[in-house]
Amino acid sequence: MAVNLDKEAYYRRIKRLYSNWKKGEDEFGKVDAIVVSVGVDEEIVYAKSTAIQTWLFGYELTDTIMVFCDTKIIFLASKKKVDFLKQVAVTKGNENANGVPPITLLTREKNESNKANFDKMIEAIRGSKEGKTVGVFSKDKFPGEYMKSWNDTITAEGLEKVDISAVVAYTMAVKEDGELSLMKKAAAITSEVYSKFFKERVMEIVDADEKVRHSKLAESVEKAIEEKKYLGGADPSTVEMCYPPIIQSGGNYSLKFSVVSDKNHMHFGAITCAMGIRYKSYCSNLVRTLMVDPPQEMQDNYNFLLQVEEELLKELKHGVKICDAYSAVLEYMKKEKSDLVSKLTKNLGFAMGIEFREGSLVVNAKNQYKLKKGMVFSISLGFADLMNKDGKKDEQKKYALFIGDTIQINEEEAATILTPVKKKIKNVGIFLKNDDEEDEEEDGDDAEELLGKGARSAALLADRTRNEMTAEEKRRAHQKELANHLNEEAKRRLTEQKGEQQIQKARKSNVSYKNVSQMPREKDIREMKIFIDKKYETVVMPVFGIATPFHIATIKNISMSVEGDYTYLRINFYVPGSSLGRQEGNIFPNPDATFVKEITYRASNLKAPGDTSVPSTNLQNAFRIIKEVQKRYKTREAEEKEKEGIVKQDSLVINLNRSNPKLKDLYIRPNIAQKRMQGSLEAHTNGFRFTSVRGDKVDILYNNIKHAIFQPCDGEMIIVLHFHLKNAIMFGKRRHTDVQFYTEVGEITTDLGKHQHMHDRDDLYAEQMEREMRHKLKSAFKNFIEKVETLTKEELEFEVPFRDLGFQGAPYRSTCLLQPTSSSLVNVTEWPPFVVTLDEVELVHFERVQFHLKNFDVVIVYKDYNKKVTMINAVPVNSLDPIKEWLNSCDIKYTEGVQSLNWTKIMKTIVDDPEGFFEQGGWSFLDPESEGSGGEEDSESEMEDETFNPSADEEEEEEEDSDEDYSSETEDSNYSASLGSEEESGKDWDELEEEARKADRESHYEDEDTSNRKRKVRTVAPPSKKKRRS
């Protein structure tokens, strides 16, 4: 046969079978020979006889009899199968070279009684040990004359039969690495089919209020495995269902795997689904319960069921008796919720492999077998016959909860889940309605009973037409509620924080020499020259004939110039009143002392008779060395500043297991060195470790990750794993709160060498290759994420940005696509990345929202008012409504206005006097609808004039604070600030002529609107009190 047989696997496994037999434990001690006979029966899916054949040879061999004796092995099969088995039968001289008995191959005669072959086998059995008992699989009964004649021969010979199913199953239960990888693949396919097909389909059915029968839905799942997109790259011919999917809902539940999906329509309550997929003969299993609008009691019971599963996983370890693990779980349940013990399923799972269910290794109170590392179990536990107090109809009153996973037994750790499909309430709960809609639904139910279905739909339609609010009205109503809550919450928070004043840190005083003895005794000092002491980073200068040391930190800058015959060296010092840098301010330990502001030295460029060198040489050397020392000092200070406030992290606990989740060939941003380097990212017990090809290591602990974001490569040139950290970490001599790992998925190139043609084979091939590469990378990253989430028990969850909700904006220099996730707003494909945590946002304000402008700006104000607001510029105006809808759904207050406000001054005013701010209405000053009486309007506009209009000074301050170059904008605003009064009082001829023309043909209101528009262009000049604020 052309089919190859894995000889190594055969010899390994037959050795294991013989060594267990020789130990003589349990039924193995009672048998003298083992007989495995397989006939032909299409209806038998799982049988121990076919399982052992698959285990040994990788294939099922029908009409084959195998006899394992003490000193020999005999196979009786057809000619083709004998040729196949020759691969393991023919060894050097047929001696016991592989530590297993030699094999004898007998060819079956189709038309004869095979008596001669049977006699040879019976003779071999008689010669094996005592020759009285044979081990068989008593449950396996194959039809046909051939099998009947062989069984009759054994009976006629008076051989005693002993069932060895359990001991053989225990031998096969411990899986090798190759078997484990097949089972992991099977589990992964099951997870994919469930997540991408079944769950999505149920969501569609619920969303569209379809009526679908359980049996039809089960059939559609079976058809789904024929489609490659759900199989993770596996060949469809190697994939089959372990059993028809079991879908149950509406009060009829049987938490077993022997039932079939009934023909009832799916009820939108608790929907249990069990499905298992077999890949290359190895099985997997997955059970989940989806809940539509679950009441709180159902949610509590479900959460408890998850806890019970966690307990079971902890108990299932190498060396533990199965019954002990079961008892421990039962004890836990009695202690926590004893009323649910009677509702628990009778057994909690079973061993699995080539056979779906191993009857001798069931997790129950009686099983005495010990667990071994490498065994794979299907655990399934549920609560049946639970009562729903809120249920009104029969199908609502009773429900069941059922969960299950494919797991692998480990040495000391808890069992590993191989089907990492999320199962928390938020992942399996489908919430359709708000609390206030429940009453309407109850009324609707009564109407249905009274009027029938047609009348109900008509009544609902009429009701909807009459009462439906527009999206904008709903948003406004919700925003009004948020506004009230926002002001109350902010006032309370600021009152609590009032006593906590920020302590300004005094600038470090750098002392050159602690005592005179440390002063250098150099010749230059005695000769009244400038000397630089590199050790103590000090410049010793002659001042009035006295050598005076100045630490390098006191020198602001130095300059040297040559004028005629003289060289001048000018040294400027830091003094109170001079700028020390952006953040430091003018903080001196003793600001009342006398300071030297500058010193200038002059030296001749002419060499006097008798001098060894030109006098100005000393100044030139001093200038060069001071620059060097200053640079070194500033570099060191910058490094120390980076380290300031770094929270000490725990040490990474390395997991030496080779099966750790790992991604190779990734780049890290920001770079460790100047050049970007590839490396690998590996998940360990309590964190990630990135190791570059050069050997650099970067550790990120799970408990330090604020947001873990997975950016797929859909529509992007890179695929990214981004970590936004709670506390900054140090690497590459800098502190970082954002670290990402990415790989490129396509090349941005255009072939200019030939004419482009849409049907060019090379181009089509390149596109196809890129598509495949993208799919491959996406699968690898998703697989890594699922493993990490399983490893961390879903404490670390990766967020995927919602591309559909994304909008263009410029948070930094360039425009990029900003995308919301479940808890943040991000852009991680551009660098620097942009990550805003939604929980930290107080409100969002839209600036420059005007009818004739194409763009507007978004200002994000944080709950921590000391934190600088975030600006997103140049957002297209067509994104305004979607952004409002998204913010409203996230319960975030938003406001809009036509002006650009000076947020630095606004936030300072709020922090300085929070009570006053909230007494005057708090954040309502931003809301255009908050204008009430005239007095209130005046006070608010006064506040606006005083507080919120930028001056030239603040513009400069903001420019210094931000990283972006707004120099042109600042110049314009400075210019307009200085000329503001002139602009209002007088206009140039062009403007006057234009106004005269318009006055002739336009109404008074349009003219007023034009002047308003002109005023709005100036962001600096104070607004007129008549003008409407926004």
Side-chain angles (χ1 to χ4, degrees):
M1 285 176 85
V3 183
N4 285 327
L5 191 155
D6 188 345
K7 294 182 199 176
E8 294 301 315
Y10 167 78
Y11 289 127
R12 274 198 315 273
R13 292 168 190 177
I14 201 78
K15 267 185 195 174
R16 196 201 298 178
L17 182 68
Y18 266 86
S19 68
N20 282 9
W21 183 16
K22 282 173 184 170
K23 283 178 191 170
E25 292 175 1
D26 301 320
E27 282 79 14
F28 269 143
K30 299 174 186 174
V31 298
D32 300 320
I34 297 169
V35 174
V36 180
S37 50
V38 178
V40 181
D41 190 350
E42 294 296 326
E43 290 180 11
I44 295 177
V45 181
Y46 303 110
K48 193 67 79 253
S49 308
T50 53
I52 198 168
Q53 284 185 348
T54 308
W55 187 60
L56 290 172
F57 311 120
Y59 297 93
E60 285 183 18
L61 306 174
T62 53
D63 285 337
T64 302
I65 300 170
M66 303 187 292
V67 178
F68 300 97
C69 300
D70 191 22
T71 54
K72 65 166 78 172
I73 298 170
I74 300 173
F75 294 152
L76 173 61
S78 64
K79 189 174 184 305
K80 277 189 177 178
K81 294 186 183 79
V82 166
D83 291 342
F84 169 69
L85 292 167
K86 275 180 184 173
Q87 295 175 69
V88 288
V90 180
T91 55
K92 292 177 185 176
N94 214 19
E95 77 273 12
N96 197 3
N98 294 290
V100 291
I103 295 168
T104 304
L105 297 176
L106 301 175
T107 306
R108 177 188 159 210
E109 302 297 334
K110 281 189 179 179
N111 302 322
E112 294 179 22
S113 62
N114 286 291
K115 190 175 185 307
N117 289 330
F118 288 170
D119 288 345
K120 286 178 186 174
M121 290 195 290
I122 293 294
E123 189 185 333
I125 291 167
R126 291 286 185 202
S128 176
K129 295 188 179 178
E130 292 179 14
K132 291 177 182 176
T133 55
V134 290
V136 295
F137 303 130
S138 56
K139 281 188 181 177
D140 295 0
K141 290 182 170 63
F142 288 92
E145 195 59 41
Y146 177 49
M147 285 293 116
K148 185 177 181 297
S149 58
W150 167 241
N151 288 326
D152 290 346
T153 306
I154 293 176
T155 308
E157 286 294 325
L159 294 168
E160 188 187 337
K161 293 180 182 177
V162 176
D163 186 14
I164 54 165
S165 301
V167 284
V168 170
Y170 196 59
T171 302
M172 292 165 61
V174 178
K175 305 291 183 285
E176 296 173 353
D177 289 345
E179 292 178 286
L180 284 173
S181 64
L182 290 174
M183 295 197 80
K184 283 175 184 174
K185 180 69 175 172
I189 295 169
T190 307
S191 305
E192 285 279 291
V193 172
Y194 169 81
S195 303
K196 289 186 178 176
F197 180 79
F198 177 77
K199 190 179 173 187
E200 291 296 320
R201 181 74 186 105
V202 170
M203 302 265 275
E204 284 171 19
I205 292 166
V206 173
D207 204 31
D209 201 9
E210 287 181 51
K211 282 202 168 186
V212 178
R213 296 183 191 277
H214 295 141
S215 52
K216 285 286 179 191
L217 187 55
E219 282 172 26
S220 67
V221 174
E222 288 194 71
K223 284 178 186 170
I225 65 165
E226 295 168 14
E227 295 183 45
K228 269 195 171 181
K229 62 180 175 181
Y230 301 121
L231 304 184
D235 180 0
S237 64
T238 60
V239 178
E240 58 183 324
M241 298 301 294
C242 296
Y243 57 92
I246 303 163
I247 297 155
Q248 303 174 99
S249 69
N252 297 323
Y253 300 95
S254 176
L255 307 186
K256 296 174 183 175
F257 297 103
S258 53
V259 296
V260 291
S261 301
D262 59 32
K263 291 186 179 179
N264 294 337
H265 288 111
M266 190 169 80
H267 172 255
F268 299 164
I271 305 159
T272 66
C273 168
M275 64 170 72
I277 285 173
R278 204 176 186 202
Y279 175 66
K280 292 188 177 176
S281 301
Y282 283 86
C283 299
S284 65
N285 198 25
L286 175 72
V287 185
R288 288 291 180 268
T289 301
L290 293 173
M291 292 169 283
V292 182
D293 280 332
Q296 192 55 49
E297 189 185 7
M298 189 187 288
Q299 293 183 42
D300 294 342
N301 287 338
Y302 182 79
N303 284 328
F304 180 63
L305 185 60
L306 293 182
Q307 290 168 18
V308 174
E309 190 191 27
E310 280 295 313
E311 281 301 310
L312 179 60
L313 291 173
K314 286 178 195 170
E315 294 298 330
L316 296 175
K317 291 179 190 171
H318 177 81
V320 175
K321 277 188 179 179
I322 292 174
C323 57
D324 293 347
Y326 180 88
S327 303
V329 169
L330 227 56
E331 285 302 313
Y332 171 78
M333 282 189 67
K334 284 173 185 172
K335 192 170 72 178
E336 297 293 328
K337 275 195 179 183
S338 55
D339 55 317
L340 289 175
V341 173
S342 60
K343 310 286 185 186
L344 187 68
T345 44
K346 286 182 182 176
N347 63 61
L348 305 181
F350 42 80
M352 189 166 60
I354 295 168
E355 285 188 277
F356 173 68
R357 183 180 187 276
E358 183 41 68
S360 60
L361 290 171
V362 175
V363 182
N364 58 25
K366 297 175 184 175
N367 203 320
Q368 296 294 316
Y369 279 109
K370 284 185 179 178
L371 296 166
K372 288 190 178 180
K373 183 188 172 187
M375 285 183 172
V376 174
F377 274 72
S378 164
I379 58 165
S380 50
L381 51 164
F383 299 141
D385 299 330
L386 294 169
M387 300 310 291
N388 178 12
K389 293 170 188 171
D390 303 336
K392 291 183 175 60
K393 296 179 182 177
D394 290 342
E395 60 261 33
Q396 293 174 335
K397 287 175 183 173
K398 195 188 282 188
Y399 70 95
L401 300 171
F402 199 21
I403 57 170
D405 287 287
T406 303
I407 62 150
Q408 179 187 333
I409 306 298
N410 297 321
E411 187 101 41
E412 291 172 1
E413 301 164 5
T416 306
I417 293 177
L418 304 181
T419 43
V421 176
K422 293 178 184 177
K423 50 182 179 281
K424 287 184 179 176
I425 281 283
K426 63 180 178 182
N427 307 119
V428 297
I430 303 168
F431 298 89
L432 293 178
K433 54 187 180 296
N434 300 322
D435 294 336
D436 55 336
E437 290 173 350
E438 283 178 5
D439 299 334
E440 291 174 31
E441 192 196 57
E442 282 171 23
D443 296 342
D445 285 349
D446 296 339
E448 185 180 1
E449 285 166 16
L450 293 168
L451 306 169
K453 191 178 174 185
R456 174 177 177 253
S457 58
L460 281 175
L461 185 65
D463 183 55
R464 186 173 291 179
T465 318
R466 195 165 52 246
N467 299 329
E468 190 163 21
M469 296 165 76
T470 64
E472 182 61 29
E473 283 170 345
K474 282 182 183 174
R475 282 208 300 263
R476 279 184 187 167
H478 188 217
Q479 285 295 311
K480 215 167 192 176
E481 290 169 23
L482 290 175
N484 298 332
H485 178 69
L486 171 73
N487 280 335
E488 287 166 20
E489 183 65 25
K491 193 174 181 180
R492 184 190 60 75
R493 199 172 57 245
L494 283 175
T495 312
E496 285 173 7
Q497 292 173 356
K498 195 183 173 190
E500 302 168 18
Q501 292 295 321
Q502 276 198 327
I503 301 160
Q504 278 198 317
K505 213 167 95 175
R507 190 160 178 260
K508 189 170 73 177
S509 176
N510 292 292
V511 178
S512 296
Y513 304 111
K514 288 179 181 174
N515 52 55
V516 183
S517 62
Q518 288 179 331
M519 278 278 285
R521 306 275 186 267
E522 297 293 326
K523 185 184 171 188
D524 282 358
I525 294 172
R526 291 197 299 274
E527 292 176 357
M528 289 296 143
K529 290 181 179 178
I530 297 173
F531 174 75
I532 294 93
D533 186 350
K534 289 184 182 179
K535 183 182 175 185
Y536 289 100
E537 294 179 328
T538 296
V539 182
V540 183
M541 309 178 201
V543 179
F544 301 119
I546 299 166
T548 312
F550 290 88
H551 193 274
I552 199 77
T554 60
I555 296 173
K556 187 176 180 183
N557 52 48
I558 58 169
S559 62
M560 189 175 71
S561 59
V562 179
E563 293 177 16
D565 295 340
Y566 293 97
T567 296
Y568 293 87
L569 180 68
R570 180 177 172 180
I571 302 171
N572 293 320
F573 296 93
Y574 284 116
V575 294
S578 70
S579 173
L580 292 177
R582 286 182 191 172
Q583 303 299 327
E584 292 176 43
N586 300 327
I587 307 156
F588 284 81
N590 187 7
D592 297 329
T594 304
F595 287 82
V596 177
K597 189 173 183 184
E598 65 175 81
I599 295 179
T600 305
Y601 290 95
R602 187 182 80 166
S604 172
N605 292 334
L606 303 173
K607 189 176 177 182
D611 285 353
T612 54
S613 61
V614 177
S616 62
T617 308
N618 175 245
L619 295 188
Q620 290 163 2
N621 288 339
F623 176 77
R624 181 176 52 80
I625 297 167
I626 288 170
K627 282 279 187 192
E628 280 175 24
V629 175
Q630 209 173 23
K631 188 180 175 184
R632 194 173 67 202
Y633 172 77
K634 281 179 179 173
T635 306
R636 196 179 72 248
E637 281 290 292
E639 282 179 20
E640 282 177 16
K641 197 175 176 186
E642 287 288 319
K643 287 177 187 172
E644 260 179 41
I646 289 284
V647 177
K648 193 175 185 303
Q649 302 291 317
D650 299 334
S651 300
L652 183 73
V653 180
I654 301 293
N655 187 353
L656 299 173
N657 193 344
R658 284 188 179 180
S659 63
N660 285 345
K662 192 173 186 178
L663 279 175
K664 294 179 180 176
D665 303 329
L666 297 181
Y667 294 106
I668 184 172
R669 277 203 296 207
N671 295 334
I672 299 174
Q674 284 189 340
K675 279 188 177 181
R676 66 174 193 165
M677 277 184 293
Q678 280 192 328
S680 60
L681 181 69
E682 191 168 0
H684 290 281
T685 307
N686 65 336
F688 296 101
R689 169 164 282 182
F690 176 79
T691 311
S692 72
V693 286
R694 199 176 69 176
D696 306 279
K697 290 182 174 63
V698 176
D699 294 345
I700 299 170
L701 300 186
Y702 301 139
N703 60 11
N704 191 32
I705 296 172
K706 196 176 199 176
H707 297 290
I709 296 153
F710 167 50
Q711 175 68 62
C713 49
D714 304 326
E716 304 288 352
M717 296 308 292
I718 58 173
I719 185 166
V720 181
L721 287 181
H722 184 95
F723 299 112
H724 182 66
L725 308 178
K726 294 173 188 171
N727 301 305
I729 58 169
M730 286 286 294
F731 65 87
K733 296 184 180 177
R734 306 206 73 147
R735 58 191 290 165
H736 305 286
T737 49
D738 285 284
V739 185
Q740 65 176 224
F741 306 95
Y742 70 98
T743 188
E744 289 160 351
V745 293
E747 295 176 3
I748 313 169
T749 56
T750 307
D751 191 350
L752 301 173
K754 61 176 187 233
H755 297 293
Q756 294 296 312
H757 193 272
M758 65 183 288
H759 297 301
D760 192 326
R761 282 187 182 180
D762 290 347
D763 286 358
L764 290 172
Y765 178 70
E767 278 179 29
Q768 178 65 23
M769 289 299 288
E770 188 176 317
R771 269 198 298 274
E772 284 176 13
M773 186 185 176
R774 280 174 182 268
H775 179 72
K776 198 175 173 185
L777 280 169
K778 214 158 136 189
S779 301
F781 272 70
K782 277 188 175 176
N783 192 25
F784 175 80
I785 287 166
E786 283 169 1
K787 285 179 180 174
V788 169
E789 286 178 344
T790 308
L791 183 70
T792 59
K793 294 181 181 164
E794 292 185 21
E795 283 174 21
L796 176 69
E797 284 196 52
F798 282 81
E799 302 170 44
V800 180
F802 302 116
R803 196 176 180 86
D804 296 346
L805 297 176
F807 58 91
Q808 296 291 332
Y812 302 117
R813 289 173 186 272
S814 59
T815 303
C816 57
L817 181 68
L818 300 164
Q819 301 173 74
T821 72
S822 53
S823 64
S824 58
L825 176 66
V826 301
N827 171 267
V828 295
T829 50
E830 306 283 332
W831 196 261
F834 177 83
V835 181
V836 169
T837 307
L838 298 182
D839 286 345
E840 293 174 3
V841 174
E842 180 84 307
L843 70 96
V844 175
H845 181 66
F846 306 126
E847 293 184 340
R848 299 190 306 110
V849 180
Q850 295 185 56
F851 180 68
H852 64 281
L853 293 180
K854 289 182 181 177
N855 297 324
F856 66 96
D857 302 331
V858 176
V859 179
I860 298 169
V861 181
Y862 296 98
K863 287 176 181 172
D864 178 3
Y865 290 167
N866 293 307
K867 193 174 177 182
K868 194 183 168 197
V869 300
T870 298
M871 295 278 293
I872 303 170
N873 299 311
V875 180
V877 78
N878 58 3
S879 298
L880 183 60
D881 256 14
I883 294 171
K884 282 181 179 178
E885 191 61 50
W886 165 62
L887 289 172
N888 196 52
S889 69
C890 297
D891 292 338
I892 294 173
K893 170 71 181 157
Y894 63 78
T895 54
E896 62 181 82
V898 294
Q899 287 179 305
S900 295
L901 304 176
N902 183 347
W903 286 96
T904 311
K905 199 162 183 180
I906 291 175
M907 300 317 290
K908 188 176 185 301
T909 307
I910 297 169
V911 173
D912 290 349
D913 182 18
E915 287 91 348
F917 173 71
F918 288 109
E919 276 169 20
Q920 290 180 2
W923 289 108
S924 59
F925 80 89
L926 291 170
D927 211 325
E929 292 178 6
S930 66
E931 291 176 338
S933 62
E936 193 180 326
E937 207 173 308
D938 286 351
S939 68
E940 281 183 11
S941 55
E942 268 174 42
M943 187 179 176
E944 217 177 345
D945 289 344
E946 282 174 24
T947 313
F948 308 121
N949 288 306
S951 67
D953 294 342
E954 261 109 36
E955 288 279 319
E956 283 170 20
E957 242 176 63
E958 261 183 55
E959 185 202 346
E960 275 187 12
D961 286 350
S962 76
D963 296 326
E964 296 162 31
D965 182 11
Y966 286 135
S967 55
S968 59
E969 198 177 299
T970 311
E971 282 169 26
D972 290 348
S973 57
N974 288 345
Y975 177 73
S976 61
S978 61
L979 298 180
S981 57
E982 285 178 37
E983 276 189 55
E984 283 188 8
S985 58
K987 293 174 178 150
D988 62 22
W989 284 109
D990 290 343
E991 284 180 344
L992 289 168
E993 281 174 8
E994 184 65 30
E995 276 185 17
R997 272 198 300 272
K998 282 183 180 175
D1000 291 336
R1001 63 175 185 269
E1002 289 178 6
S1003 70
H1004 170 70
Y1005 296 105
E1006 286 174 313
D1007 188 24
E1008 188 175 87
D1009 186 52
T1010 311
S1011 64
N1012 274 355
R1013 231 176 285 153
K1014 280 181 185 173
R1015 275 200 203 106
K1016 284 171 194 168
V1017 172
R1018 297 193 312 274
T1019 58
V1020 176
S1024 165
K1025 292 190 182 181
K1026 290 177 188 174
K1027 187 177 68 183
R1028 280 187 81 248
R1029 278 186 313 95
S1030 61

